[in-house]
Amino acid sequence: MAVQLLVTDRNLNFIGDPLAKWTKLSCDLNFNAPASGAVTLPAWPQHIELLQPGNRLVLVRDGAIWCAGPMEKPQDYNWDLTQDPGPGTVTVTFTDDLARIAGYLTYPEPTKAFSAQTTTSNVVRQITDTNAEQLIRQLVSENCGPTALTVRRIERLVLDTLAGVGGTRSVSTRFEALLDACRTVAATDGLGFRTRQVGDEIRFGVYQPADLTATARFSYGLGNLRKLAFTMGAPLATSELVQGGNDPAEEATPANVRAFVEVTSGAAADWYRVEKLIEESGKDDSKGELTQAGTLAFGDDNPQASLATETVDTADLKAGRDYGLGDKVTVVLPTGLEVADLVQTIRLEATPDEGELVTAVIGNSDKTTTSATVRTVRDLARRLGRLEVR
């Protein structure tokens, strides 16, 4: 098996020997979201010594780094005399370095400490008329990267080589989850962003996923599709009615006006019109920010086909080599219907006895990614967050 597990400190210095004799491993790489992984291994003293707060786990597959990042739960220990009189087992839960970035908020004034932020008005961080890739990079750099306050910098985090992708965008943000702000900017152009470990650096970069619907195809006949469930559902919204400007509860003045933008998906032609109101107080559409908010909302509200898939690597089509996160691929149903959607998750599962299994989650599916309840709670949290920081 070509999987190796290494441990580094927070400065990416490798420590100890590779983790040995693990019995079960899983790792999900997620599009524009932190990875999620777990590994179970013997609770030997040499393992416990390495599994400490602040250390990172590096998963190497076929000589290349598959995932690298902090241990979220370094030790979940279990011992049962009736099952195993040995040292017991320890399960490590880990993620990638994008999770570190996810732990930050966007400061309105990133050059000032939190206690020194301006108190006389609701100042926002506004970046206008900037290339989307550079805008995302700037948000990360000034909040937790090379240009951030020293106390906020993530160790060894640098900006990756420019990819030259994305159109001209703008953003206004204030104490918002940093990755949420990045997703808002990325939505219109369908951009992806990620971290990767190269040598002793954590590189944050932006990229443009590819349309591989003609070449990355999954079907029973090709031998790379094992299971699927498919549901066609009505859209939750075909018209996002985005309301911006200042708070309507404030005193009416010439400067305090509302702004209204309707963003339509075109799905009403096939289905029927469904309207949804989105509140974006404090923003206007002079730089396209309300339009961006409407576009982002369609990620949850479009009549996307709900896919639950189990795809597998073959010699002709492999994850990471022939397609990656965010790429658009095609799933051919036994009925003959072809569904094109994005690769949301690439999952690696391995055991010493059964070997490796690489599968892909395709489509923004209730069955495979985020449940409708979780989406509702997430949407509520976003709206409450906007109210709290106004």
Side-chain angles (χ1 to χ4, degrees), residues 204-265:
F204 173 85
V206 181
Y207 65 99
Q208 180 71 68
D211 185 343
L212 302 177
T213 50
T215 58
R217 298 172 61 84
F218 298 89
S219 71
Y220 169 77
L222 293 173
N224 55 15
L225 182 64
R226 291 188 174 180
K227 296 179 182 178
L228 71 82
F230 171 75
T231 302
M232 177 64 75
L236 299 178
T238 61
S239 291
E240 306 287 358
L241 308 179
V242 189
Q243 179 177 243
N246 289 325
D247 192 329
E250 295 179 0
E251 181 182 355
T253 66
N256 179 26
V257 296
R258 303 298 284 171
F260 303 97
V261 171
E262 179 177 354
V263 184
T264 60
S265 66

Side-chain angles (χ1 to χ4, degrees), residues 325-336:
L325 292 172
D327 290 342
K328 182 178 283 191
V329 300
T330 298
V331 178
V332 182
L333 279 64
T335 61

Side-chain angles (χ1 to χ4, degrees), residues 267-283:
D270 294 324
W271 295 87
Y272 38 77
R273 183 178 176 90
V274 184
E275 299 175 343
K276 179 180 177 181
L277 183 65
I278 300 177
E279 177 60 45
E280 290 287 334
S281 292
K283 300 180 182 180

Side-chain angles (χ1 to χ4, degrees), residues 29 61-62 64-67 194 207 212 216 218 311-327 329 343 345-348 358-361:
L29 304 181
R61 179 176 182 250
D62 295 333
I65 295 178
W66 177 269
C67 179
R194 60 195 169 197
Y207 65 99
L212 302 177
F218 298 89
T311 70
V312 294
D313 272 0
T314 64
D316 296 325
L317 189 62
K318 289 189 176 183
R321 186 192 71 185
D322 303 307
Y323 69 91
L325 292 172
D327 290 342
V329 300
V343 178
T345 297
I346 297 175
R347 174 176 299 148
L348 169 65
V358 177
T359 61
V361 172

Side-chain angles (χ1 to χ4, degrees), residues 61-273:
R61 179 176 182 250
D62 295 333
I65 295 178
W66 177 269
C67 179
M71 303 178 195
E72 293 189 314
K73 291 183 180 179
Q75 298 181 26
D76 186 354
Y77 177 72
N78 183 60
W79 180 80
D80 187 340
L81 179 62
T82 63
Q83 299 294 326
D84 183 0
T89 61
V90 60
T91 298
V92 183
T93 303
F94 61 93
T95 181
D96 61 11
D97 291 303
L98 197 61
R100 294 285 308 274
I101 297 174
Y104 285 77
L105 302 179
T106 57
Y107 278 18
E109 299 170 290
T111 60
K112 298 181 181 178
F114 178 74
S115 58
Q117 298 290 308
T118 299
T119 60
T120 55
S121 64
N122 287 342
V123 176
V124 299
R125 179 67 175 115
Q126 189 172 52
I127 309 173
T128 62
D129 297 332
T130 302
N131 169 262
E133 177 188 6
Q134 294 177 331
L135 202 161
I136 295 170
R137 288 160 60 95
Q138 183 174 343
L139 285 172
V140 170
S141 181
E142 68 187 20
N143 283 286
C144 62
T147 60
L149 295 172
T150 302
V151 69
R152 302 186 73 204
R153 292 178 192 168
I154 295 175
E155 299 88 351
R156 313 305 301 172
L157 178 63
V158 300
L159 299 180
D160 211 337
T161 305
L162 272 169
V165 296
T168 300
R169 307 290 170 222
S170 300
V171 68
S172 294
T173 182
R174 181 175 184 270
F175 296 126
E176 180 183 7
L178 177 53
L179 284 194
D180 282 351
C182 292
R183 291 188 192 103
T184 298
V185 177
T188 302
D189 299 299
L191 299 180
F193 49 81
R194 60 195 169 197
T195 56
R196 60 193 187 105
Q197 179 176 333
V198 179
D200 61 353
E201 294 179 335
I202 299 169
R203 298 184 183 179
F204 173 85
V206 181
Y207 65 99
Q208 180 71 68
D211 185 343
L212 302 177
T213 50
T215 58
R217 298 172 61 84
F218 298 89
S219 71
Y220 169 77
L222 293 173
N224 55 15
L225 182 64
R226 291 188 174 180
K227 296 179 182 178
L228 71 82
F230 171 75
T231 302
M232 177 64 75
L236 299 178
T238 61
S239 291
E240 306 287 358
L241 308 179
V242 189
Q243 179 177 243
N246 289 325
D247 192 329
E250 295 179 0
E251 181 182 355
T253 66
N256 179 26
V257 296
R258 303 298 284 171
F260 303 97
V261 171
E262 179 177 354
V263 184
T264 60
S265 66
D270 294 324
W271 295 87
Y272 38 77
R273 183 178 176 90

